[in-house]
C-alpha cells in the first residue's frame, strides 16, 4: 500500500467548494409526506475532508444523492464551485456502500466507465491503468467482479471514481461492509489519496472513530428529519492516533450528540 | 480471469483424473469394437427373412465402425486425445446390443409387423435413396425457421427493452401483449394462411410470433429488474440515456434474454412443424406428413431423426453463443 504514494500521477484537480443552502427534502410514503432533510445548510471549503455522522435512516444518503445530482431537492440550493447542481457530473463522483461493479465487465472495463461515457477512453487508456495501480489492483485488471473479495471490489469502485479526476469525492459508507483489518488499510489509503490529490471529500460513516481519524470536520445530524446538530473541527495532524486525548474528547462529544451515553 | 485460473491449485488433480480415465473406459472400447464387428457378421452372414436391399452396406458399416473402435483403443495407448474417446465406450456397447436385437427381430426373424417396425436396413435405405428430398426438406425447414426466428427475436428484443425502459411504451403495449401474447401462435394459423400472400410468409410470421412472446416477457422483466444502483453509478459518471440502455440495461438483462430465446426457439420448433404439415409444401414437417400418406414409416423415422438433430444443433448453437456472451457469469448450465 505504501507503493500508492509512488503511483503514477493521474493529474490533479483542485478541490471543489460546496455550498449547501437551506435544503429541504422528503419523500411520498404511503400517501403521506416523509420529511427527511430540514433546513440543512453548511459550506465545505475546497480540499476539505468532511465526515457526516447521524443516526441510521436520518437522511445522510439522501443528502449525498442530492449533492451528486442524482435527485433534485424540493427546496434550497446546492452550489458546487459557484454553479448550481442540475444533474450528475463526473467531477463529482460517488462511491456507494456496495461496490456496484457491473458483473459483466472486467475490473479494467468497470474502472474505465467514466472515460467511456464521455468518449475519452481511446486517448486516455493509461489513466485507467494508473487508477488501478493507485488502489493496488493492477494484477486484477482482467478479473471479473465475482472473482474479487469485498475489499478488492470496493477498491475497484474507488478506482472507477478516481479515473475521472474528481474535484469532489462523495463517499457513502464506503467501508461499511468491510472486515476491520481491510477497513483500517483502506482508511489509510483514502487519507493518503486525499492528501496527494487535493480533492474535496464528503464522507458518510456510521463509525464515529473513523470520522475523527479521517476528517477535518465532522458534521453531526439529528434524527430524521435531519438537521445539522453540530459542526466539529478536528484540528489534528495526520496520521492520527485513536487514543489521542483530543480525539477521545471529540469522540465523547460526538457520541453524546448522537444520544449515546458518555461512558461508552 | 486467466491470471486467477492459472494461480488456482488444480493442476495435480487434473492430471490424476486424466490418468484415471485411461484404463477404465479404454478397455471397454475393445468390447464395444468386437460387439460391432459381431453385429456386422450377423447382418452379413445370416440371411434376411425380409426382402431388403441395403443389407451388405449396413453390414459393412457395422464392420467398419467396429474396426474404428478397435483402432481408437489401440491409438488410445499412444495419444491422450484419442484415449478420451473411451468415455463413449459404454454408450457404444449398449448401442451395439440394441442394434443387434433390432436387426435380429426385424430383418432376420421377421418377428415385428411391417411397416411399423422397419429394419435397420430399411432405415438406412431412407438416407441412401431419399437423401435428396430429405436434404431439401431440411434446408427449407432451416431457412424458414431462421427467417422467422430472426425476425421474432429482433422484434421481441426491441419491444421487450422498450417495455422495460419506458412507461409510455408500456401503457400502449402491455395490454395488447397481455391479451394476445398467451394465445398459442398456431391459433393464428388459419387466419395467417388466409391473410398472407403465401404460405411461406404466413409461416414466417407465425414463427416470429411464437419466438417473440417469451422473449418480450423475459427481456422486459430483465430490463425492469436492473438494480437502480447500476444506473446511479453510470449517471454519476456522466452517462446519457443511450449509454444507460445499451451499456447498462441490456447487458444486465442479457441472462434473462437468453432464457427468453430458449423458450422462443422451443415454441418456434412447434410452430414450424405444424405450419409445414398444414400449409407449406416443403420442409421436414411436410416430409413427415407425406411419408405418413404413403405409410412409409421408415421415412418418417428417418425424418424424425433428422429433425431431432436439427433442433438439438440449433439449441447447441444458442448455448454456445450464450456461453461466449455470458462468460462472466459463474455456474452456467452446460448443454
Ligand atoms: N426513494 C425513497 N423513497 C422513499 N423514502 C426514501 C427514499 N430514499 C430514502 N427514503 C427514506 O428517507 C430516510 C432517509 O434515508 P437515507 O438518506 O438513506 O438514510 P441514511 O441516513 O441512513 O443514509 C429513510 O427513512 C428512508 O426510508
Ligand atoms: Mg445511507
Amino acid at each position: 500500500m505504501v507503493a500508492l504514494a509512488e503511483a503514477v500521477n493521474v493529474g490533479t484537480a483542485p478541490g471543489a467548494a460546496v455550498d449547501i443552502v437551506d435544503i429541504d427534502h422528503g419523500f411520498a410514503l404511503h400517501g403521506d409526506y416523509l420529511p427527511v432533510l430540514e433546513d440543512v445548510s453548511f459550506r465545505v471549503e475546497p480540499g476539505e475532508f468532511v465526515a457526516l455522522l447521524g443516526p441510521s435512516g436520518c437522511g445522510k444518503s439522501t443528502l449525498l444523492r442530492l449533492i451528486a445530482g442524482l435527485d433534485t431537492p424540493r427546496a434550497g440550493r446546492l452550489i458546487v464551485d459557484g454553479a448550481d447542481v442540475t444533474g450528475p457530473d463526473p467531477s463529482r463522483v460517488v462511491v456507494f456502500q456496495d461496490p456496484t461493479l457491473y458483473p459483466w465487465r472486467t475490473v479494467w472495463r468497470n474502472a474505465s466507465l467514466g472515460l467511456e461515457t464521455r468518449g475519452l477512453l481511446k486517448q486516455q487508456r493509461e489513466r485507467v491503468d494508473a487508477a488501478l495501480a493507485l488502489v493496488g489492483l493492477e494484477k486484477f485488471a482482467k478479473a471479473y467482479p465475482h472473482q474479487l473479495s469485498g475489499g478488492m471490489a470496493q477498491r475497484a469502485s474507488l478506482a472507477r471514481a478516481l479515473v475521472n479526476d474528481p474535484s469532489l469525492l462523495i463517499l457513502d459508507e464506503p467501508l461499511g461492509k468491510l472486515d476491520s483489518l481491510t477497513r483500517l488499510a483502506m482508511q489509510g489509503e483514502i487519507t493518503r489519496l486525499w492528501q496527494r490529490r487535493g480533492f474535496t471529500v464528503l464522507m458518510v460513516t456510521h463509525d464515529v472513530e473513523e470520522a475523527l481519524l479521517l476528517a477535518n470536520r465532522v458534521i453531526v445530524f439529528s434524527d430524521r428529519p435531519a438537521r445539522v446538530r453540530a459542526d466539529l473541527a478536528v484540528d489534528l495532524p495526520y496520521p492520527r492516533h485513536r487514543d489521542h486525548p483530543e480525539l477521545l474528547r471529540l469522540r465523547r462529544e460526538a457520541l453524546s450528540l448522537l444520544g449515546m451515553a458518555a461512558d461508552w | 480471469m486467466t491470471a486467477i485460473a492459472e494461480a488456482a491449485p488444480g493442476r495435480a488433480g487434473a492430471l490424476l483424473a486424466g490418468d484415471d480415465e485411461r484404463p477404465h473406459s479404454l478397455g471397454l472400447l475393445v468390447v464395444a469394437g468386437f460387439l460391432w464387428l459381431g453385429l456386422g457378421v450377423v447382418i452379413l452372414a445370416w440371411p434376411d427373412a425380409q426382402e431388403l436391399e441395403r443389407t451388405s452396406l449396413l453390414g459393412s458399416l457395422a464392420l467398419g465402425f467396429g474396426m474404428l473402435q478397435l483402432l481408437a483403443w489401440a491409438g488410445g495407448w499412444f495419444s491422450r486425445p484419442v484415449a478420451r474417446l473411451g468415455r463413449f465406450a459404454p454408450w457404444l456397447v449398449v448401442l451395439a446390443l440394441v442394434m443387434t436385437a433390432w436387426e435380429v427381430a426385424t430383418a432376420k426373424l421377421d418377428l415385428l409387423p411391417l411397416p411399423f417396425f422397419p429394419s435397420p436396413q430399411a432405415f438406412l435405405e431412407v438416407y441412401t435413396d431419399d437423401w435428396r428430398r430429405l436434404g431439401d426438406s431440411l434446408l427449407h425447414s432451416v431457412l424458414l425457421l431462421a427467417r422467422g426466428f430472426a425476425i421474432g427475436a429482433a422484434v421481441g428484443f426491441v419491444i421487450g427493452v422498450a417495455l422495460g425502459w419506458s412507461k409510455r411504451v408500456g401503457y400502449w403495449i402491455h395490454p395488447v401483449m397481455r391479451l394476445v401474447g398467451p394465445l398459442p401462435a398456431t391459433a393464428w394459423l388459419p387466419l395467417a394462411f388466409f391473410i398472407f400472400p403465401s404460405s411461406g410468409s404466413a409461416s414466417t410470421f407465425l414463427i416470429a410470433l411464437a419466438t417473440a412472446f417469451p422473449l418480450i416477457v423475459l427481456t422486459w422483466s430483465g430490463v425492469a429488474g436492473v438494480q437502480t444502483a447500476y444506473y446511479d453509478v453510470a449517471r454519476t459518471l456522466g452517462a446519457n440515456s443511450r449509454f444507460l440502455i445499451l451499456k447498462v440495461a441490456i447487458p444486465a438483462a442479457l441472462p434473462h434474454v437468453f432464457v427468453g430465446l430458449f423458450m422462443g426457439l422451443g415454441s418456434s420448433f412447434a410452430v414450424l412443424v405444424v405450419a409445414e404439415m398444414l400449409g407449406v409444401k416443403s420442409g421436414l414437417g411436410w416430409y413427415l406428413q407425406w411419408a405418413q400418406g404413403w405409410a412409409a414409416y421408415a421415412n418418417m423415422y428417418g425424418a424424425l431423426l433428422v429433425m431431432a438433430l436439427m433442433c438439438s444443433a440449433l439449441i447447441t448453437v444458442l448455448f454456445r453463443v450464450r456461453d461466449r456472451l455470458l462468460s462472466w457469469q459463474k455456474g452456467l448450465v452446460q448443454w
Side-chain angles (χ1 to χ4, degrees):
Chain A
M1 291 314 103
V2 189
L4 282 185
E6 283 86 50
V8 195
N9 194 353
V10 184
T12 311
V18 186
D19 278 299
I20 293 153
V21 188
D22 297 333
I23 290 291
D24 275 316
H25 197 64
F27 297 100
L29 193 69
H30 309 308
D32 274 341
Y33 176 67
L34 177 77
V36 172
L37 298 170
E38 229 172 60
D39 271 341
V40 174
S41 296
F42 59 92
R43 175 178 164 84
V44 181
E45 301 296 337
E48 252 187 329
F49 194 134
V50 175
L52 309 180
L53 274 177
S56 170
C58 74
K60 306 176 296 287
S61 298
T62 304
L63 179 62
L64 290 193
R65 287 179 63 85
L66 297 178
I67 299 169
L70 288 170
D71 297 318
T72 318
R74 292 174 57 97
R77 289 182 69 193
L78 288 164
I79 304 160
V80 174
D81 280 340
D84 280 288
V85 171
T86 54
D89 189 286
S91 67
R92 289 174 257 126
V93 263
V94 192
V95 175
F96 298 95
Q97 180 172 18
D98 290 308
T100 37
L101 301 171
Y102 295 156
W104 59 90
R105 287 180 170 233
T106 60
V107 167
W108 198 93
R109 301 247 303 128
N110 266 290
S112 66
L113 210 60
L115 295 178
E116 197 178 325
T117 57
R118 285 175 289 156
L120 301 175
L121 188 54
K122 279 227 170 67
Q123 306 95 287
Q124 310 192 350
R125 299 179 68 85
E126 69 287 347
R127 282 175 59 172
V128 182
D129 299 323
L132 286 179
L134 211 55
V135 298
L137 278 182
E138 63 274 53
K139 287 228 175 64
F140 290 89
K142 286 186 182 145
Y144 281 95
H146 73 81
Q147 298 170 310
L148 303 181
S149 70
M152 287 157 78
Q154 196 54 284
R155 272 162 219 259
S157 88
L158 198 58
R160 178 178 64 194
L162 295 175
V163 164
N164 303 285
D165 219 352
S167 55
L168 174 61
L169 188 61
I170 300 172
L171 307 172
D172 192 355
E173 303 197 36
L175 312 180
K177 286 190 174 166
L178 303 181
D179 63 275
S180 50
L181 282 178
T182 313
R183 236 181 124 101
L184 287 181
M186 287 201 60
Q187 286 172 356
E189 280 171 45
I190 289 175
T191 330
R192 272 191 291 276
L193 281 170
W194 164 66
Q195 286 171 329
R196 276 171 46 73
R197 305 286 288 280
F199 44 59
T200 306
V201 181
L202 263 175
M203 180 177 81
V204 165
T205 172
H206 56 245
D207 181 344
V208 176
E209 196 164 76
E210 180 172 277
L212 294 171
L213 280 173
L214 300 187
N216 299 132
R217 267 167 76 197
V218 176
I219 293 179
V220 184
F221 289 100
S222 67
D223 214 339
R224 192 182 56 235
R227 294 160 158 278
V228 176
R229 282 202 68 179
D231 189 338
L232 312 172
V234 190
D235 267 330
L236 291 171
Y238 297 88
R240 292 172 176 169
H241 292 284
R242 54 199 72 231
D243 39 11
H244 191 287
E246 169 69 0
L247 204 140
L248 290 177
R249 188 190 65 75
L250 284 165
R251 181 161 174 265
R252 267 196 301 278
E253 184 174 351
L255 282 174
S256 74
L257 283 165
L258 290 169
M260 296 287 167
D263 49 301
W264 251 65
Chain B
M1 180 121 202
T2 45
I4 290 175
E6 275 160 20
R11 276 271 177 275
L15 279 180
L16 279 179
D19 284 341
D20 226 1
E21 194 174 16
R22 203 174 278 220
H24 280 304
S25 42
L26 201 58
L28 199 57
L29 211 49
V30 183
V31 179
F34 279 112
L35 281 175
W36 279 91
L37 288 181
L39 171 62
V41 171
V42 166
I43 294 171
L44 293 175
W46 189 340
D48 289 337
Q50 296 175 337
E51 209 173 297
L52 293 162
E53 296 199 3
R54 301 289 166 188
T55 301
S56 53
L57 176 63
L58 185 71
S60 320
L61 284 176
L63 287 178
F65 195 44
M67 295 299 286
L68 273 180
Q69 289 164 48
L70 292 179
L71 277 178
W73 166 75
W77 294 101
F78 304 104
S79 154
R80 192 166 281 251
V82 176
R84 256 179 236 131
L85 293 174
R87 69 196 173 91
F88 298 115
W91 264 106
L92 290 170
V93 168
V94 170
L95 278 178
L97 295 175
V98 170
M99 286 285 293
T100 310
W102 178 18
E103 172 71 18
V104 171
T106 54
K108 303 306 177 192
L109 295 178
D110 198 14
L111 293 177
L112 299 173
L114 285 174
F116 308 106
F117 297 97
S119 61
Q121 285 93 316
F123 202 80
L124 179 65
E125 196 181 329
V126 173
Y127 297 112
T128 57
D129 292 21
D130 208 21
W131 60 270
R132 205 180 286 278
R133 195 180 347 224
L134 253 180
D136 190 58
S137 300
L138 173 64
L139 186 70
H140 277 94
S141 285
V142 169
L143 287 180
L144 179 56
L145 190 69
R147 225 179 313 135
F149 184 74
I151 294 173
V155 172
F157 179 72
V158 171
I159 292 179
V161 171
L163 270 173
W165 184 260
S166 155
K167 288 221 163 58
R168 196 154 1 130
V169 172
Y171 176 81
W172 291 107
I173 296 192
H174 188 194
V176 177
M177 220 196 46
R178 274 182 69 164
L179 181 67
V180 176
L183 194 63
T186 41
W188 293 95
L189 215 106
L191 193 63
F193 280 133
F194 176 70
I195 293 175
F196 280 83
S198 68
S199 58
S201 54
S203 317
T204 307
F205 166 76
L206 292 177
I207 292 170
L209 200 65
T211 306
F213 177 62
L215 186 58
I216 289 174
V217 174
L218 276 141
T219 306
W220 170 28
S221 76
V223 170
V226 176
Q227 303 177 34
T228 47
Y230 283 170
Y231 296 130
D232 287 344
V233 163
R235 283 173 62 210
T236 60
L237 296 174
N240 53 23
S241 334
R242 190 188 143 83
F243 191 95
L244 292 182
I245 294 176
L246 296 180
K247 301 283 183 83
V248 182
I250 290 178
L254 218 49
H256 281 86
V257 172
F258 270 99
V259 177
L261 283 173
F262 282 115
M263 295 169 56
L265 193 56
S267 49
S268 76
F269 291 155
V271 175
L272 173 78
V273 175
V274 174
E276 284 176 344
M277 283 180 171
L278 292 186
V280 190
K281 291 278 173 287
S282 63
L284 290 169
W286 166 82
Y287 188 99
L288 280 177
Q289 194 80 342
W290 169 85
Q292 198 222 17
W294 290 96
Y297 283 86
N299 293 59
M300 251 167 70
Y301 299 139
L304 273 176
L305 181 64
V306 171
M307 202 184 269
L309 290 175
M310 175 188 84
C311 295
S312 178
L314 291 173
I315 295 275
T316 305
V317 168
L318 194 56
F319 261 93
R320 289 282 179 285
V321 173
R322 183 202 63 161
D323 288 350
R324 293 222 102 188
L325 288 179
L326 300 187
S327 57
W328 49 271
Q329 271 190 324
K330 40 180 180 177
L332 282 180
V333 179
Q334 293 299 314
W335 166 250

